[in-house]
Amino acid sequence: MGKKFIIICASTNHMLNADRILRENHINTELIPTPSQYGSICSTSIMIDEESRDRAELLLKENLVNVTGIYEYVERRFLGITKGLSASKEFMDILKKVEQGFELTREEIVKLLKTENPKEMEALYNAADRVRKAIVGDVVEIRAAIEFSNYCTKNCNYCGIRRDNRIIRYRMTEDQIMEGVREIQKLGIKTVILQSGEDPWYTPDKIVSILKRIKKETGMRITLSIGERTKEEYRLFREAGANNYLLKIETVNEELFKKVHPDDDYHKRKECSVWLRELGYVNGSGNIIGLPGQTPEDIADDIIYFKDMKIHMIGIGPFLPAKGTPYEKLPPGSVDMTLKAVAVTRLVCKNVFIPATTALATLDPDGHVKALKAGANTIMLISTPPGFRENYQIYSNKNMVDIHKALSAVRRAERKIPKYINLDVIA
Ligand code: SAH
Ligand code: SF4
């Protein structure tokens, strides 16, 4: 394999423009989360082959694209991450490969996921924690979600707000959503997540209007998580101010995907993620740990998919049974397997956001802390206003993560609270 080069641009618009120009001139490009040694965790850069390097530079200059730099891409090493850790030689050899900047094979990833030896698990979590520290530092990013509608046209077998479940349904108005956004802004939080079931009542016009209003009145970053839409709609949302999009693949095992999603098309779901990447979103995906019949090999394939798809935000949560669903009686996913998946994802995908998920905090009171110590670096508050939030039970007994719980987890994990949080407004 020849050398690879990465092009870093001054803004997302310059980057997308550069990508278009290069592709129009028949240069093969790949959009990747900017490796940590070259830039910030949110940004995307363009990867090209060595033979295109000089021509690409010239083309971008001619077209007045603001390029910050073109660098030879070398996999970063993480020297010292295995220091003092003890586990079997075979297990340590895998961690040492990460330390030296080598990619792990599927077999090695499976080996990491399969361990049930407490010493090996601890070594894995520690190595992931050190890679996290080297890449994103100690500050835990805090974001907040407003679940603005629990209507859904889909019938995912695991989900408590699936179409056929008899629950009280609600839709928030634009004004109600704005009220919630302002509460989040008061806390100093910079990113709001707008999530809902797949609810076509919110037409593109309605979503665009909400996005524009949030941007105009607060300037906050916006993550959308409203399921599958057309490429044109994703484009409109992006233009109206959406920065990030969260659309989890849930599992890349096609058979399992079909089994748990009676009315979802596996290829369509994957295609949506490709569109989101092409449109310049900070692209979010993730999986559910503990779906019926899921194996460690399946989870390894999920992680390899996140890496290959250049996903920036990866939500890894355990399956939790929800009342009234076909999976009501199934056991929840395992806390250990979820933590192992978090750790391995950090080791494989590196410069990405990994939340300590609400689902994990629901299953285990120390779930946030454990995930933060195994590679995670983000916590998401549930800021859906009372009166609505009780009915957004995608799984039963959902933990209502508020700012107090989040700050307590950050402190217990001995990590840093972001400077943007307004501690004086938090009683
Ligand atoms: N309708 C959108 C967003 C809302 S659901 C979508 O499906 O993309 C958000 C996430 O909740 C899903 O991606 C799924 O991973 C998670 N989820 C739903 N039910 C769950 C359950 N019972 N256990 C664990 N995670 C669940
Ligand atoms: Fe609807 Fe999302 Fe739940 Fe599936 S997971 S039923 S799409 S809300």
Side-chain angles (χ1 to χ4, degrees):
M1 211 174 70
K3 284 184 194 165
K4 298 269 183 192
F5 281 80
I6 60 166
I7 304 171
I8 314 240
C9 297
S11 69
T12 307
N13 280 342
H14 277 284
M15 183 275 298
L16 287 174
N17 195 19
D19 183 52
R20 184 184 49 77
I21 293 165
L22 297 178
R23 280 190 287 124
E24 278 171 7
N25 285 280
H26 311 290
I27 292 179
N28 278 334
T29 62
E30 256 192 287
L31 299 185
I32 61 164
T34 303
S36 56
Q37 61 271 43
Y38 305 108
S40 91
I41 186 169
C42 263
S43 62
T44 302
S45 50
I46 303 168
M47 191 186 261
I48 54 170
D49 294 329
E50 185 177 19
E51 70 257 23
S52 313
R53 191 208 171 282
D54 294 344
R55 203 157 66 85
E57 186 170 22
L58 200 66
L59 276 167
L60 299 181
K61 219 175 241 163
E62 280 169 9
N63 285 280
L64 304 177
V65 178
N66 193 343
V67 174
T68 316
I70 303 181
Y71 308 98
E72 184 183 339
Y73 176 73
V74 271
E75 194 67 58
R76 179 170 169 184
R77 296 196 294 168
F78 293 94
L79 299 181
I81 60 157
T82 63
K83 205 170 154 211
L85 305 183
S86 73
S88 68
K89 177 168 181 318
E90 205 188 359
F91 201 84
M92 288 306 293
D93 282 348
I94 303 175
L95 298 181
K96 280 183 186 152
K97 270 186 83 176
V98 178
E99 185 166 39
Q100 293 301 331
F102 294 109
E103 271 192 25
L104 300 186
T105 62
R106 178 176 189 263
E107 210 185 345
E108 288 162 341
I109 293 174
V110 170
K111 199 138 249 158
L112 295 181
L113 291 171
K114 273 192 172 164
T115 183
E116 288 186 357
N117 174 324
K119 271 201 162 167
E120 291 184 346
M121 279 156 67
E122 200 185 307
L124 171 63
Y125 301 156
N126 276 323
D129 193 45
R130 290 169 181 180
V131 169
R132 181 274 309 153
K133 187 176 171 80
I135 290 180
V136 292
D138 280 338
V139 176
V140 176
E141 169 82 5
I142 298 181
R143 301 180 171 184
I146 298 180
E147 298 145 332
F148 64 91
S149 161
N150 70 352
Y151 279 84
C152 192
T153 53
K154 294 247 170 94
N155 229 356
C156 308
N157 284 339
Y158 46 80
C159 181
I161 65 169
R162 67 201 292 272
R163 183 179 73 225
D164 287 351
N165 221 12
R166 292 184 49 176
I167 54 168
I168 299 167
R169 303 276 172 180
Y170 68 86
R171 291 188 174 111
M172 289 170 65
T173 64
E174 186 175 305
D175 285 343
Q176 287 169 329
I177 295 172
M178 280 315 297
E179 238 173 83
V181 173
R182 274 190 285 271
E183 287 303 313
I184 295 171
Q185 194 187 24
K186 273 190 211 150
L187 297 173
I189 288 172
K190 302 284 179 220
T191 305
V192 59
I193 299 147
L194 298 178
Q195 191 177 84
S196 68
E198 293 208 3
D199 184 1
W201 185 87
Y202 291 90
T203 56
D205 281 355
K206 287 198 180 96
I207 298 285
V208 163
S209 169
I210 296 165
L211 293 170
K212 284 195 170 157
R213 199 156 153 211
I214 294 177
K215 274 286 165 209
K216 185 157 160 261
E217 294 181 20
T218 72
M220 289 173 82
R221 286 182 69 82
I222 307 169
T223 301
L224 268 185
S225 179
I226 59 172
E228 293 168 27
R229 295 268 179 152
T230 64
K231 186 171 187 186
E232 200 39 44
E233 287 175 57
Y234 287 151
R235 187 195 312 280
L236 289 172
F237 302 156
R238 175 92 185 94
E239 283 165 5
N243 307 91
N244 318 334
Y245 205 102
L246 184 59
L247 184 78
K248 290 172 64 170
I249 187 69
E250 321 295 3
T251 172
V252 295
N253 176 329
E254 190 171 353
E255 229 171 274
L256 179 58
F257 184 97
K258 278 194 190 138
K259 186 166 103 181
V260 301
H261 298 114
D263 42 19
D264 246 347
D265 182 87
Y266 175 76
H267 299 284
K268 168 88 194 301
R269 189 120 182 136
K270 276 190 159 175
E271 187 173 34
C272 284
S273 266
V274 173
W275 292 338
L276 292 164
R277 185 177 65 188
E278 286 170 1
L279 292 166
Y281 280 94
V282 173
N283 205 356
S285 186
N287 60 355
I288 302 183
I289 304 292
L291 290 171
Q294 186 187 42
T295 64
E297 284 78 5
D298 291 333
I299 297 171
D301 290 337
D302 293 344
I303 296 171
I304 293 165
Y305 164 83
F306 301 144
K307 162 106 178 156
D308 290 347
M309 273 291 291
K310 328 288 178 200
I311 299 293
H312 289 81
M313 304 184 291
I314 304 166
I316 300 167
F319 159 72
L320 293 170
K323 284 196 193 84
T325 63
Y327 292 172
E328 173 173 8
K329 298 265 168 8
L330 293 184
S334 128
V335 172
D336 284 345
M337 184 52 93
T338 307
L339 292 171
K340 285 186 277 183
V342 165
V344 176
T345 301
R346 174 62 71 197
L347 295 181
V348 171
C349 301
K350 307 208 168 75
N351 195 26
V352 291
F353 277 108
I354 304 180
T357 53
T358 311
L360 188 62
T362 301
L363 187 57
D364 179 335
D366 290 328
H368 275 147
V369 180
K370 288 178 181 170
L372 288 176
K373 289 183 158 186
N377 70 318
T378 311
I379 294 185
M380 189 174 100
L381 313 184
I382 304 296
S383 295
T384 309
F388 300 113
R389 63 166 75 149
E390 302 75 14
N391 295 314
Y392 199 86
Q393 296 273 340
I394 48 179
Y395 39 82
S396 300
N397 310 311
K398 188 163 123 231
N399 189 325
M400 287 305 155
V401 181
D402 62 10
I403 186 73
H404 301 285
K405 282 191 188 162
L407 296 183
S408 152
V410 174
R411 289 190 183 112
R412 281 185 292 143
E414 295 172 22
R415 297 276 279 284
K416 292 190 184 131
I417 295 165
K419 288 213 174 67
Y420 52 73
I421 295 290
N422 278 332
L423 288 172
D424 38 323
V425 305
I426 301 160

